[in-house]
Amino acid sequence: MMFKLGDGVVLLLGCLFTVWLAATFWQGGAADKAVIRSGGKIFREVPLNRDLEIQVPGPLGTSIIEIHNQQARIAADPSPRQYCVRQGWLKSAGEMAICLPNQVSVELTGSQKKYDSLNY
Amino acid sequence: MTSSTLKLDTTAEDHHIARLAAVALGLTVLEAAIPSPLPGVKPGLANIIVLIVLARYGWRAAAWVSLLRVVAGSLLMGSFLAPGFFLSLAGALLSLIALAASMHLPKRWFSAITHSILAAFAHITGQMLVVYLWLIPHNGIAYLLPIFAIAALVFGPVNGLAATRFMDNGDKQNLESTQ
């Protein structure tokens, strides 16, 4: 008998260890924090693991930022064209929604960024 | 000019270790011809010899063969004292530590395959430590860890299986020749 029981156990442990490594180091896109800016300054930094609604004041009025299920979005904003609201849910690190008229932005951050920069 | 000859007293064991190290060296050179997608991802065929030596002649002989293989292999490849040399040296040292620990596992349940898997993981650990502490001190190399782990997961058992195969065949042949 060449392949013994203990070998199988060790091989299984090796597989589990490899899967754990991959799960830990290959999920760079996952975001864990939302950085909310108002007028260019950081207004608040909130973790994504708690559902939350935040009101952010700007020159035009109040933007409402919603955090739900590890995602964030701008739920309401007084800006005329509503670009940032229509952008919908932000999921991975590096994604960003900006309401220029009201000078409010939300950026998701994580251990690794998927994008260095984004422009529209 | 006086010619002096240096005479070293060698034992039969020395000859034996040298012969086995030469086989391991041959495998190292052979392996260098195999293209690798990533530097450091190699089958480590020479470790088959180290595993056999460990099982047959004990840890001390295995350490000799392994380290001779690293040093002489780097001389042959022209990488002596280059980063690649320290990578394989660190890998070989940690593998030997893993082998020293794993060889005491009960033989009833654990074969050379276990030794090989543990040594393979120890090998990538040593390599990654050198890479991280010396060559590329950047967290980004963590991204490569799963790739090296997969390589260890594949080549560890394969080398171990090859070693057990060789030993089984060898034992059979020994039996046949004594009969």
PDB file of all heavy atoms in Angstrom, chain A residues 2-16:
ATOM      1  N   MET A   2       0.740   2.042  -1.029  1.00  0.00           N
ATOM      2  CA  MET A   2       1.612   3.207  -1.122  1.00  0.00           C
ATOM      3  C   MET A   2       1.003   4.428  -0.445  1.00  0.00           C
ATOM      4  O   MET A   2       1.657   5.134   0.287  1.00  0.00           O
ATOM      5  CB  MET A   2       1.874   3.531  -2.586  1.00  0.00           C
ATOM      6  CG  MET A   2       2.762   2.516  -3.267  1.00  0.00           C
ATOM      7  SD  MET A   2       3.455   3.197  -4.753  1.00  0.00           S
ATOM      8  CE  MET A   2       2.018   3.772  -5.606  1.00  0.00           C
ATOM      9  N   PHE A   3      -0.269   4.663  -0.735  1.00  0.00           N
ATOM     10  CA  PHE A   3      -0.920   5.870  -0.241  1.00  0.00           C
ATOM     11  C   PHE A   3      -1.630   5.530   1.063  1.00  0.00           C
ATOM     12  O   PHE A   3      -2.552   4.732   1.081  1.00  0.00           O
ATOM     13  CB  PHE A   3      -1.908   6.344  -1.305  1.00  0.00           C
ATOM     14  CG  PHE A   3      -2.337   7.768  -1.123  1.00  0.00           C
ATOM     15  CD1 PHE A   3      -1.569   8.790  -1.647  1.00  0.00           C
ATOM     16  CD2 PHE A   3      -3.495   8.078  -0.430  1.00  0.00           C
ATOM     17  CE1 PHE A   3      -1.958  10.107  -1.490  1.00  0.00           C
ATOM     18  CE2 PHE A   3      -3.881   9.398  -0.270  1.00  0.00           C
ATOM     19  CZ  PHE A   3      -3.110  10.412  -0.801  1.00  0.00           C
ATOM     20  N   LYS A   4      -1.176   6.138   2.144  1.00  0.00           N
ATOM     21  CA  LYS A   4      -1.735   5.774   3.440  1.00  0.00           C
ATOM     22  C   LYS A   4      -2.729   6.812   3.927  1.00  0.00           C
ATOM     23  O   LYS A   4      -2.799   7.915   3.397  1.00  0.00           O
ATOM     24  CB  LYS A   4      -0.598   5.599   4.450  1.00  0.00           C
ATOM     25  CG  LYS A   4       0.311   4.431   4.076  1.00  0.00           C
ATOM     26  CD  LYS A   4       1.496   4.329   4.990  1.00  0.00           C
ATOM     27  CE  LYS A   4       2.434   3.238   4.521  1.00  0.00           C
ATOM     28  NZ  LYS A   4       3.695   3.241   5.234  1.00  0.00           N
ATOM     29  N   LEU A   5      -3.476   6.428   4.951  1.00  0.00           N
ATOM     30  CA  LEU A   5      -4.553   7.284   5.462  1.00  0.00           C
ATOM     31  C   LEU A   5      -4.038   8.670   5.834  1.00  0.00           C
ATOM     32  O   LEU A   5      -4.609   9.687   5.467  1.00  0.00           O
ATOM     33  CB  LEU A   5      -5.197   6.600   6.672  1.00  0.00           C
ATOM     34  CG  LEU A   5      -6.385   7.354   7.290  1.00  0.00           C
ATOM     35  CD1 LEU A   5      -7.554   7.351   6.330  1.00  0.00           C
ATOM     36  CD2 LEU A   5      -6.779   6.749   8.621  1.00  0.00           C
ATOM     37  N   GLY A   6      -2.927   8.709   6.560  1.00  0.00           N
ATOM     38  CA  GLY A   6      -2.371   9.992   7.005  1.00  0.00           C
ATOM     39  C   GLY A   6      -2.007  10.881   5.830  1.00  0.00           C
ATOM     40  O   GLY A   6      -2.161  12.102   5.898  1.00  0.00           O
ATOM     41  N   ASP A   7      -1.540  10.256   4.743  1.00  0.00           N
ATOM     42  CA  ASP A   7      -1.197  11.039   3.545  1.00  0.00           C
ATOM     43  C   ASP A   7      -2.424  11.779   3.036  1.00  0.00           C
ATOM     44  O   ASP A   7      -2.351  12.945   2.653  1.00  0.00           O
ATOM     45  CB  ASP A   7      -0.667  10.126   2.446  1.00  0.00           C
ATOM     46  CG  ASP A   7       0.595   9.414   2.879  1.00  0.00           C
ATOM     47  OD1 ASP A   7       1.293   9.953   3.745  1.00  0.00           O
ATOM     48  OD2 ASP A   7       0.872   8.332   2.336  1.00  0.00           O
ATOM     49  N   GLY A   8      -3.553  11.048   3.022  1.00  0.00           N
ATOM     50  CA  GLY A   8      -4.805  11.664   2.576  1.00  0.00           C
ATOM     51  C   GLY A   8      -5.177  12.840   3.456  1.00  0.00           C
ATOM     52  O   GLY A   8      -5.583  13.894   2.967  1.00  0.00           O
ATOM     53  N   VAL A   9      -5.005  12.652   4.778  1.00  0.00           N
ATOM     54  CA  VAL A   9      -5.336  13.733   5.710  1.00  0.00           C
ATOM     55  C   VAL A   9      -4.446  14.946   5.451  1.00  0.00           C
ATOM     56  O   VAL A   9      -4.924  16.082   5.372  1.00  0.00           O
ATOM     57  CB  VAL A   9      -5.178  13.239   7.176  1.00  0.00           C
ATOM     58  CG1 VAL A   9      -5.360  14.392   8.149  1.00  0.00           C
ATOM     59  CG2 VAL A   9      -6.173  12.134   7.463  1.00  0.00           C
ATOM     60  N   VAL A  10      -3.151  14.689   5.280  1.00  0.00           N
ATOM     61  CA  VAL A  10      -2.209  15.792   5.039  1.00  0.00           C
ATOM     62  C   VAL A  10      -2.537  16.493   3.724  1.00  0.00           C
ATOM     63  O   VAL A  10      -2.529  17.722   3.639  1.00  0.00           O
ATOM     64  CB  VAL A  10      -0.749  15.274   5.032  1.00  0.00           C
ATOM     65  CG1 VAL A  10       0.214  16.368   4.590  1.00  0.00           C
ATOM     66  CG2 VAL A  10      -0.367  14.779   6.410  1.00  0.00           C
ATOM     67  N   LEU A  11      -2.885  15.697   2.713  1.00  0.00           N
ATOM     68  CA  LEU A  11      -3.228  16.270   1.404  1.00  0.00           C
ATOM     69  C   LEU A  11      -4.472  17.144   1.520  1.00  0.00           C
ATOM     70  O   LEU A  11      -4.533  18.245   0.972  1.00  0.00           O
ATOM     71  CB  LEU A  11      -3.451  15.147   0.397  1.00  0.00           C
ATOM     72  CG  LEU A  11      -3.595  15.547  -1.066  1.00  0.00           C
ATOM     73  CD1 LEU A  11      -2.355  16.289  -1.531  1.00  0.00           C
ATOM     74  CD2 LEU A  11      -3.834  14.333  -1.939  1.00  0.00           C
ATOM     75  N   LEU A  12      -5.448  16.654   2.291  1.00  0.00           N
ATOM     76  CA  LEU A  12      -6.681  17.412   2.484  1.00  0.00           C
ATOM     77  C   LEU A  12      -6.383  18.726   3.199  1.00  0.00           C
ATOM     78  O   LEU A  12      -6.885  19.787   2.815  1.00  0.00           O
ATOM     79  CB  LEU A  12      -7.677  16.573   3.291  1.00  0.00           C
ATOM     80  CG  LEU A  12      -9.096  17.133   3.380  1.00  0.00           C
ATOM     81  CD1 LEU A  12      -9.780  17.035   2.035  1.00  0.00           C
ATOM     82  CD2 LEU A  12      -9.899  16.409   4.443  1.00  0.00           C
ATOM     83  N   LEU A  13      -5.542  18.647   4.243  1.00  0.00           N
ATOM     84  CA  LEU A  13      -5.168  19.866   4.963  1.00  0.00           C
ATOM     85  C   LEU A  13      -4.466  20.845   4.025  1.00  0.00           C
ATOM     86  O   LEU A  13      -4.713  22.051   4.078  1.00  0.00           O
ATOM     87  CB  LEU A  13      -4.257  19.524   6.155  1.00  0.00           C
ATOM     88  CG  LEU A  13      -4.947  18.828   7.339  1.00  0.00           C
ATOM     89  CD1 LEU A  13      -3.931  18.469   8.410  1.00  0.00           C
ATOM     90  CD2 LEU A  13      -6.033  19.717   7.922  1.00  0.00           C
ATOM     91  N   GLY A  14      -3.605  20.306   3.160  1.00  0.00           N
ATOM     92  CA  GLY A  14      -2.920  21.156   2.184  1.00  0.00           C
ATOM     93  C   GLY A  14      -3.902  21.848   1.261  1.00  0.00           C
ATOM     94  O   GLY A  14      -3.773  23.036   0.969  1.00  0.00           O
ATOM     95  N   CYS A  15      -4.923  21.100   0.809  1.00  0.00           N
ATOM     96  CA  CYS A  15      -5.959  21.673  -0.059  1.00  0.00           C
ATOM     97  C   CYS A  15      -6.679  22.802   0.668  1.00  0.00           C
ATOM     98  O   CYS A  15      -6.868  23.891   0.124  1.00  0.00           O
ATOM     99  CB  CYS A  15      -6.987  20.609  -0.451  1.00  0.00           C
ATOM    100  SG  CYS A  15      -6.394  19.441  -1.658  1.00  0.00           S
ATOM    101  N   LEU A  16      -7.072  22.532   1.913  1.00  0.00           N
ATOM    102  CA  LEU A  16      -7.805  23.536   2.690  1.00  0.00           C
ATOM    103  C   LEU A  16      -6.954  24.788   2.873  1.00  0.00           C
ATOM    104  O   LEU A  16      -7.438  25.909   2.720  1.00  0.00           O
ATOM    105  CB  LEU A  16      -8.200  22.966   4.060  1.00  0.00           C
ATOM    106  CG  LEU A  16      -9.297  21.900   4.031  1.00  0.00           C
ATOM    107  CD1 LEU A  16      -9.559  21.355   5.428  1.00  0.00           C
ATOM    108  CD2 LEU A  16     -10.574  22.471   3.441  1.00  0.00           C
TER     109      LEU A  16
END
